[in-house]
Amino acid sequence: MISLIEALNYRCLRYVRQPLGPFHILVGPNASGKTTFLDVIGFLGDLVSKGLEYAVGERTKKFQDLIYGRAGDGFELAIEVLIPEEKRKLIFNSELDTIRYEVAIGINNNKEINILSENCILKKSDNLPQTPETLFPRELETPNTIITSHAKKSTRTVIRKVKDGNDNYNNEVEQKTSGSWRFSVKLGPSKSALFYLPADESKYPVALWLKAFLAESIQNLVLNSLVLRKASPPGQVRSFKPDGSNLPW
């Protein structure tokens, strides 16, 4: 379950930090950012499954359109997800019940779109209080960044990508690790470290689960009133289509 969505300078969202429970109804005025808030999940899913170029190009031809007020050099997104019990049993500390994934996207001096920072962190839940019946979006003090600079000792940073540096990986299962990373590569500024995470579930059971969760388990349901009025032809799949076109089946 997604427990937190956070965005800084993303499209029409100056800053949002919203704890989530099992069920929410998002209510707010037109053009208040409801669709953009949900697109935080969509952007991260596209990033880790299809790459940075696709994630940006699917939304705009001008990167500046994705930045709040079309001013500045980039934006930052983060999501926290509760780790399934069966995955928690596999990591070095089963008390760590949450995985946080955060990225900073921006342009460099050559006007190229880059991943400036990327972290994947195992942590304990912050047990953030929920705010029922609050008009969206809530006004919050805007931080300079939402990217974690120094993780707490009780946490474990599984992935860290730094600007002009390496992509660093640390396994999730060993009880004791030294201060150095298990291995480092240099993928380049346009490639997501989570996208290229080695498919080794014996070392990265939670991070690989998160990657699949973002890429495959998020479903947008957008019912299409036009197709709902039409007859549903035979031969439709039994699984639900997001536009509702096969509801009779």
Side-chain angles (χ1 to χ4, degrees), residues 8-75:
L8 179 65
N9 294 327
Y10 184 53
R11 304 179 81 166
C12 64
L13 299 177
R14 180 71 178 96
Y15 176 59
V16 167
R17 177 179 172 83
Q18 180 61 54
L20 297 175
F23 179 78
H24 275 261
I25 297 176
L26 190 60
V27 180
N30 289 339
S32 63
K34 301 185 297 296
T35 301
T36 298
F37 174 76
L38 297 175
D39 189 50
V40 172
I41 309 169
F43 186 95
L44 294 177
D46 287 341
L47 176 66
V48 303
S49 61
K50 300 176 182 178
L52 177 61
E53 183 177 354
Y54 178 90
V56 172
E58 186 71 1
R59 289 159 177 82
T60 182
K61 294 181 179 180
K62 296 181 179 180
F63 178 73
Q64 209 70 19
D65 291 341
L66 297 181
I67 303 174
Y68 180 79
R70 294 182 175 84
D73 297 324
F75 59 87

Side-chain angles (χ1 to χ4, degrees), residues 144-163:
N144 293 325
T145 182
I146 62 174
I147 301 299
T148 304
S149 57
H150 300 287
K152 298 179 180 178
K153 290 183 178 180
S154 59
T155 67
R156 176 162 298 177
T157 303
V158 179
I159 296 172
R160 171 160 290 172
K161 183 185 189 77
V162 295
K163 183 179 179 181

Side-chain angles (χ1 to χ4, degrees), residues 48-49 194-197 206-216:
V48 303
S49 61
L194 181 55
F195 181 99
Y196 286 96
L197 177 69
V206 177
L208 286 171
W209 168 83
L210 175 68
K211 178 182 176 181
F213 175 81
L214 289 171
E216 303 168 7

Side-chain angles (χ1 to χ4, degrees), residues 2-240:
I2 298 172
S3 58
L4 178 74
I5 291 177
E6 200 169 4
L8 179 65
N9 294 327
Y10 184 53
R11 304 179 81 166
C12 64
L13 299 177
R14 180 71 178 96
Y15 176 59
V16 167
R17 177 179 172 83
Q18 180 61 54
L20 297 175
F23 179 78
H24 275 261
I25 297 176
L26 190 60
V27 180
N30 289 339
S32 63
K34 301 185 297 296
T35 301
T36 298
F37 174 76
L38 297 175
D39 189 50
V40 172
I41 309 169
F43 186 95
L44 294 177
D46 287 341
L47 176 66
V48 303
S49 61
K50 300 176 182 178
L52 177 61
E53 183 177 354
Y54 178 90
V56 172
E58 186 71 1
R59 289 159 177 82
T60 182
K61 294 181 179 180
K62 296 181 179 180
F63 178 73
Q64 209 70 19
D65 291 341
L66 297 181
I67 303 174
Y68 180 79
R70 294 182 175 84
D73 297 324
F75 59 87
E76 299 176 4
L77 305 175
I79 188 172
E80 295 187 8
V81 185
L82 297 180
I83 303 170
E85 184 66 29
E86 65 272 16
K87 298 298 181 182
R88 287 173 57 186
K89 294 177 181 179
L90 301 176
I91 61 178
F92 77 103
N93 182 357
S94 61
E95 293 184 0
L96 302 181
D97 59 359
T98 300
I99 183 166
R100 178 180 175 88
Y101 180 60
E102 54 188 30
V103 295
I105 310 294
I107 51 178
N108 61 16
N109 295 332
N110 296 323
K111 304 301 180 182
E112 298 171 331
I113 305 171
N114 289 173
I115 301 174
L116 305 178
S117 297
E118 182 180 13
N119 292 320
C120 199
I121 303 169
L122 303 179
K123 53 175 285 187
K124 288 185 178 181
S125 172
D126 294 326
N127 293 317
L128 297 172
Q130 296 184 32
T131 53
E133 300 181 7
T134 300
L135 188 65
F136 181 85
R138 291 187 299 135
E139 291 188 7
L140 299 171
E141 183 178 351
T142 303
N144 293 325
T145 182
I146 62 174
I147 301 299
T148 304
S149 57
H150 300 287
K152 298 179 180 178
K153 290 183 178 180
S154 59
T155 67
R156 176 162 298 177
T157 303
V158 179
I159 296 172
R160 171 160 290 172
K161 183 185 189 77
V162 295
K163 183 179 179 181
D164 300 325
N166 290 334
D167 299 78
N168 304 299
Y169 296 88
N170 211 347
N171 77 62
E172 305 168 358
V173 299
E174 293 182 11
Q175 183 65 32
K176 295 182 179 180
T177 59
S178 63
S180 60
W181 298 95
R182 280 297 173 258
F183 74 93
S184 298
V185 296
K186 197 161 187 175
L187 297 170
S190 64
K191 296 181 179 179
S192 161
L194 181 55
F195 181 99
Y196 286 96
L197 177 69
D200 187 348
E201 293 194 4
S202 67
K203 295 180 180 178
Y204 312 104
V206 177
L208 286 171
W209 168 83
L210 175 68
K211 178 182 176 181
F213 175 81
L214 289 171
E216 303 168 7
S217 300
I218 306 299
Q219 179 65 69
N220 290 323
L221 306 180
V222 185
L223 300 181
N224 186 319
S225 61
L226 295 178
V227 299
L228 285 172
R229 293 188 180 99
K230 297 179 180 179
S232 184
Q236 295 292 303
V237 296
R238 298 284 177 167
S239 58
F240 180 66

